[in-house]
Amino acid sequence: MPELPEVEANRDLVERYLVGATVDQCVCEEQGGGPRNGLFDEIIMNEGSTKQLLTNAVLHRTLIRACRKGKQMWLEFSAPNSSSKTSSKVNTTLLVHFGMTGALVLYGRESRAYKSFKVHDVAWPPRFCKLELVFSNGERLAYCDPRRIGRVRVRGKDAAAEPPISQLAPDALDALDLEAFSRALRDMSVEIKVALLNQLTVPRTQS
């Protein structure tokens, strides 16, 4: 599954440079000179997300950790600092799914590449930038997606307890109970490739 190391590379990039920094600015309109420049992308930011909801979820909040399970990645933020006017005083999470062409780009920082094309940051913001976060340490993070297949969603304090993450089978890096895994597969009536590629149908291995 080549997408998994790609998502892990993005998670590692965020963790190395942004954990502990606070979001000073959130730009939800598309930037970079593409055909939807200046517009809020309601397809990428779906499930009823609005500019206000996204802004409240990250602005004046400190990034606590960057997490991944399977091909899902999420960023956990603290409650807002005292300068924030938002009424929400609890921790929030930003869930990021890359689809086929989505990527996180950190201005001036190189990340490990796992596909034949990449988002270039020679000009900033990059083309097809759907969301840009400016952090207190001077770093600038952009989510870009030319084909609009990826998704950015707001979640509560514990994203792992909510769909789609809560529905996922164990991660490829988790310890695997081979006996339970084999027993569960024997109870399924689909081809082995179909079972393994669909993260929502691969059986959980916990007894």
Side-chain angles (χ1 to χ4, degrees):
M1 187 170 62
E3 299 92 342
L4 191 153
E6 181 184 330
V7 177
E8 176 61 22
N10 279 262
R11 187 208 64 78
D12 178 69
L13 184 72
V14 171
E15 185 174 75
R16 279 188 287 149
Y17 295 106
L18 299 179
V19 168
T22 301
V23 178
D24 286 342
Q25 184 180 0
C26 173
V27 182
C28 299
E29 296 84 6
E30 182 164 329
Q31 303 178 81
R36 294 180 54 81
N37 205 59
L39 300 177
F40 178 77
D41 197 321
E42 70 286 346
I43 292 180
I44 296 288
M45 321 295 185
N46 67 353
E47 295 187 354
S49 292
T50 63
K51 290 188 287 187
Q52 191 63 51
L53 180 64
L54 284 166
T55 300
N56 288 345
V58 298
L59 192 61
H60 306 308
R61 296 173 182 268
T62 300
L63 181 62
I64 300 173
R65 62 181 61 88
C67 309
R68 179 198 59 78
K69 185 173 184 180
K71 293 180 285 185
Q72 298 285 349
M73 175 179 170
W74 65 99
L75 308 179
E76 296 182 4
F77 290 91
S78 69
N81 61 33
S82 57
S83 64
S84 176
K85 297 180 181 180
T86 178
S87 59
S88 175
K89 300 300 180 182
V90 298
N91 292 18
T92 55
T93 305
L94 202 62
L95 179 64
V96 181
H97 186 67
F98 297 108
M100 295 177 63
T101 59
L104 289 174
V105 185
L106 196 57
Y107 181 60
R109 304 290 188 184
E110 287 291 332
S111 63
R112 302 179 183 91
Y114 288 93
K115 53 190 175 185
S116 58
F117 62 93
K118 63 172 290 187
V119 177
H120 295 280
D121 65 350
V122 175
W124 192 268
R127 190 170 172 83
F128 305 114
C129 172
K130 306 295 184 178
L131 176 68
E132 182 188 17
L133 303 181
V134 181
F135 286 80
S136 57
N137 60 357
E139 302 284 359
R140 306 176 76 97
L141 180 70
Y143 175 80
C144 306
D145 189 351
R147 295 182 62 183
R148 305 172 74 193
I149 300 175
R151 298 290 182 263
V152 176
R153 305 176 175 110
V154 175
R155 287 291 185 271
K157 180 178 180 180
D158 187 6
E162 302 179 52
I165 300 172
S166 63
Q167 299 172 326
L168 295 178
D171 187 74
L173 300 182
D174 291 344
L176 186 64
D177 184 334
L178 292 178
E179 182 179 349
F181 184 72
S182 298
R183 183 171 61 251
L185 282 178
R186 287 195 297 270
D187 293 336
M188 301 179 71
S189 59
V190 298
E191 295 179 356
I192 185 68
K193 181 178 179 180
V194 174
L196 293 177
L197 288 180
N198 190 333
Q199 294 185 73
L200 298 184
T201 58
V202 174
R204 300 177 185 276
T205 57
Q206 288 83 357
S207 301

mmCIF file of all heavy atoms in Angstrom, residues 126-144:
data_model
loop_
_atom_site.group_PDB
_atom_site.id
_atom_site.type_symbol
_atom_site.label_atom_id
_atom_site.label_comp_id
_atom_site.label_asym_id
_atom_site.label_seq_id
_atom_site.Cartn_x
_atom_site.Cartn_y
_atom_site.Cartn_z
ATOM 1 N N PRO A 126 1.358 27.561 -2.752
ATOM 2 C CA PRO A 126 1.418 26.672 -3.915
ATOM 3 C C PRO A 126 0.096 26.679 -4.683
ATOM 4 O O PRO A 126 -0.955 27.022 -4.145
ATOM 5 C CB PRO A 126 1.677 25.277 -3.300
ATOM 6 C CG PRO A 126 2.101 25.538 -1.903
ATOM 7 C CD PRO A 126 1.462 26.824 -1.493
ATOM 8 N N ARG A 127 0.149 26.280 -5.938
ATOM 9 C CA ARG A 127 -1.061 26.154 -6.744
ATOM 10 C C ARG A 127 -1.986 25.089 -6.124
ATOM 11 O O ARG A 127 -1.513 24.100 -5.576
ATOM 12 C CB ARG A 127 -0.685 25.758 -8.167
ATOM 13 C CG ARG A 127 -1.825 25.833 -9.179
ATOM 14 C CD ARG A 127 -1.263 25.656 -10.576
ATOM 15 N NE ARG A 127 -2.281 25.523 -11.597
ATOM 16 C CZ ARG A 127 -2.914 26.531 -12.185
ATOM 17 N NH1 ARG A 127 -2.616 27.775 -11.825
ATOM 18 N NH2 ARG A 127 -3.828 26.317 -13.115
ATOM 19 N N PHE A 128 -3.284 25.335 -6.182
ATOM 20 C CA PHE A 128 -4.309 24.443 -5.636
ATOM 21 C C PHE A 128 -4.221 24.324 -4.113
ATOM 22 O O PHE A 128 -4.602 23.305 -3.539
ATOM 23 C CB PHE A 128 -4.243 23.052 -6.263
ATOM 24 C CG PHE A 128 -4.321 23.059 -7.764
ATOM 25 C CD1 PHE A 128 -3.235 22.664 -8.533
ATOM 26 C CD2 PHE A 128 -5.473 23.480 -8.404
ATOM 27 C CE1 PHE A 128 -3.309 22.678 -9.912
ATOM 28 C CE2 PHE A 128 -5.552 23.503 -9.798
ATOM 29 C CZ PHE A 128 -4.462 23.096 -10.558
ATOM 30 N N CYS A 129 -3.729 25.365 -3.452
ATOM 31 C CA CYS A 129 -3.696 25.396 -1.988
ATOM 32 C C CYS A 129 -5.111 25.624 -1.473
ATOM 33 O O CYS A 129 -5.708 26.673 -1.702
ATOM 34 C CB CYS A 129 -2.765 26.508 -1.507
ATOM 35 S SG CYS A 129 -2.799 26.792 0.268
ATOM 36 N N LYS A 130 -5.657 24.652 -0.783
ATOM 37 C CA LYS A 130 -7.032 24.725 -0.279
ATOM 38 C C LYS A 130 -7.101 25.305 1.130
ATOM 39 O O LYS A 130 -8.121 25.882 1.517
ATOM 40 C CB LYS A 130 -7.658 23.326 -0.272
ATOM 41 C CG LYS A 130 -7.593 22.601 -1.596
ATOM 42 C CD LYS A 130 -8.416 23.281 -2.669
ATOM 43 C CE LYS A 130 -8.414 22.479 -3.958
ATOM 44 N NZ LYS A 130 -9.260 23.096 -5.001
ATOM 45 N N LEU A 131 -6.043 25.109 1.898
ATOM 46 C CA LEU A 131 -6.013 25.566 3.284
ATOM 47 C C LEU A 131 -4.580 25.898 3.649
ATOM 48 O O LEU A 131 -3.663 25.107 3.382
ATOM 49 C CB LEU A 131 -6.542 24.470 4.212
ATOM 50 C CG LEU A 131 -6.490 24.730 5.720
ATOM 51 C CD1 LEU A 131 -7.474 25.842 6.097
ATOM 52 C CD2 LEU A 131 -6.805 23.470 6.510
ATOM 53 N N GLU A 132 -4.368 27.068 4.243
ATOM 54 C CA GLU A 132 -3.026 27.452 4.696
ATOM 55 C C GLU A 132 -3.087 27.837 6.171
ATOM 56 O O GLU A 132 -3.955 28.612 6.585
ATOM 57 C CB GLU A 132 -2.472 28.631 3.895
ATOM 58 C CG GLU A 132 -1.059 29.022 4.328
ATOM 59 C CD GLU A 132 -0.549 30.292 3.685
ATOM 60 O OE1 GLU A 132 -1.384 31.063 3.139
ATOM 61 O OE2 GLU A 132 0.669 30.542 3.739
ATOM 62 N N LEU A 133 -2.155 27.280 6.941
ATOM 63 C CA LEU A 133 -2.021 27.618 8.350
ATOM 64 C C LEU A 133 -0.666 28.264 8.569
ATOM 65 O O LEU A 133 0.361 27.703 8.178
ATOM 66 C CB LEU A 133 -2.149 26.358 9.223
ATOM 67 C CG LEU A 133 -3.438 25.542 9.080
ATOM 68 C CD1 LEU A 133 -3.402 24.346 10.023
ATOM 69 C CD2 LEU A 133 -4.675 26.392 9.321
ATOM 70 N N VAL A 134 -0.666 29.433 9.194
ATOM 71 C CA VAL A 134 0.569 30.138 9.527
ATOM 72 C C VAL A 134 0.794 29.996 11.029
ATOM 73 O O VAL A 134 -0.081 30.343 11.833
ATOM 74 C CB VAL A 134 0.486 31.622 9.141
ATOM 75 C CG1 VAL A 134 1.801 32.332 9.465
ATOM 76 C CG2 VAL A 134 0.153 31.776 7.652
ATOM 77 N N PHE A 135 1.970 29.490 11.405
ATOM 78 C CA PHE A 135 2.259 29.172 12.801
ATOM 79 C C PHE A 135 3.137 30.224 13.461
ATOM 80 O O PHE A 135 3.842 30.988 12.791
ATOM 81 C CB PHE A 135 2.929 27.801 12.890
ATOM 82 C CG PHE A 135 1.988 26.642 12.671
ATOM 83 C CD1 PHE A 135 1.623 26.264 11.389
ATOM 84 C CD2 PHE A 135 1.454 25.946 13.745
ATOM 85 C CE1 PHE A 135 0.760 25.199 11.172
ATOM 86 C CE2 PHE A 135 0.578 24.888 13.542
ATOM 87 C CZ PHE A 135 0.230 24.511 12.252
ATOM 88 N N SER A 136 3.101 30.212 14.777
ATOM 89 C CA SER A 136 3.822 31.205 15.571
ATOM 90 C C SER A 136 5.337 31.110 15.424
ATOM 91 O O SER A 136 6.057 32.073 15.702
ATOM 92 C CB SER A 136 3.449 31.051 17.056
ATOM 93 O OG SER A 136 3.730 29.718 17.507
ATOM 94 N N ASN A 137 5.854 29.953 14.994
ATOM 95 C CA ASN A 137 7.303 29.809 14.804
ATOM 96 C C ASN A 137 7.745 30.189 13.396
ATOM 97 O O ASN A 137 8.887 29.955 13.022
ATOM 98 C CB ASN A 137 7.736 28.375 15.123
ATOM 99 C CG ASN A 137 7.062 27.339 14.236
ATOM 100 O OD1 ASN A 137 6.216 27.672 13.395
ATOM 101 N ND2 ASN A 137 7.427 26.075 14.421
ATOM 102 N N GLY A 138 6.849 30.778 12.610
ATOM 103 C CA GLY A 138 7.185 31.229 11.265
ATOM 104 C C GLY A 138 6.925 30.207 10.169
ATOM 105 O O GLY A 138 7.021 30.536 8.983
ATOM 106 N N GLU A 139 6.575 28.975 10.532
ATOM 107 C CA GLU A 139 6.316 27.941 9.531
ATOM 108 C C GLU A 139 4.940 28.164 8.888
ATOM 109 O O GLU A 139 4.002 28.639 9.523
ATOM 110 C CB GLU A 139 6.358 26.548 10.163
ATOM 111 C CG GLU A 139 7.662 26.208 10.855
ATOM 112 C CD GLU A 139 8.784 25.865 9.867
ATOM 113 O OE1 GLU A 139 8.540 25.866 8.640
ATOM 114 O OE2 GLU A 139 9.908 25.604 10.331
ATOM 115 N N ARG A 140 4.848 27.789 7.611
ATOM 116 C CA ARG A 140 3.602 27.917 6.857
ATOM 117 C C ARG A 140 3.255 26.557 6.258
ATOM 118 O O ARG A 140 4.053 25.974 5.524
ATOM 119 C CB ARG A 140 3.726 28.966 5.758
ATOM 120 C CG ARG A 140 4.186 30.324 6.255
ATOM 121 C CD ARG A 140 4.392 31.312 5.118
ATOM 122 N NE ARG A 140 3.120 31.812 4.631
ATOM 123 C CZ ARG A 140 2.583 32.978 5.019
ATOM 124 N NH1 ARG A 140 3.209 33.721 5.926
ATOM 125 N NH2 ARG A 140 1.416 33.367 4.537
ATOM 126 N N LEU A 141 2.072 26.047 6.587
ATOM 127 C CA LEU A 141 1.637 24.731 6.140
ATOM 128 C C LEU A 141 0.457 24.881 5.186
ATOM 129 O O LEU A 141 -0.512 25.577 5.491
ATOM 130 C CB LEU A 141 1.214 23.879 7.341
ATOM 131 C CG LEU A 141 0.723 22.451 7.044
ATOM 132 C CD1 LEU A 141 1.891 21.574 6.589
ATOM 133 C CD2 LEU A 141 0.055 21.859 8.279
ATOM 134 N N ALA A 142 0.546 24.209 4.026
ATOM 135 C CA ALA A 142 -0.527 24.274 3.034
ATOM 136 C C ALA A 142 -1.024 22.872 2.711
ATOM 137 O O ALA A 142 -0.231 21.942 2.573
ATOM 138 C CB ALA A 142 -0.033 24.953 1.761
ATOM 139 N N TYR A 143 -2.360 22.746 2.599
ATOM 140 C CA TYR A 143 -2.948 21.511 2.078
ATOM 141 C C TYR A 143 -3.346 21.786 0.634
ATOM 142 O O TYR A 143 -4.137 22.689 0.360
ATOM 143 C CB TYR A 143 -4.173 21.079 2.886
ATOM 144 C CG TYR A 143 -4.852 19.863 2.278
ATOM 145 C CD1 TYR A 143 -4.335 18.596 2.504
ATOM 146 C CD2 TYR A 143 -5.958 19.996 1.442
ATOM 147 C CE1 TYR A 143 -4.925 17.476 1.925
ATOM 148 C CE2 TYR A 143 -6.549 18.881 0.863
ATOM 149 C CZ TYR A 143 -6.026 17.629 1.109
ATOM 150 O OH TYR A 143 -6.587 16.526 0.524
ATOM 151 N N CYS A 144 -2.793 20.992 -0.300
ATOM 152 C CA CYS A 144 -3.032 21.189 -1.723
ATOM 153 C C CYS A 144 -3.628 19.930 -2.337
ATOM 154 O O CYS A 144 -3.259 18.816 -1.957
ATOM 155 C CB CYS A 144 -1.724 21.533 -2.448
ATOM 156 S SG CYS A 144 -0.840 22.936 -1.730
#
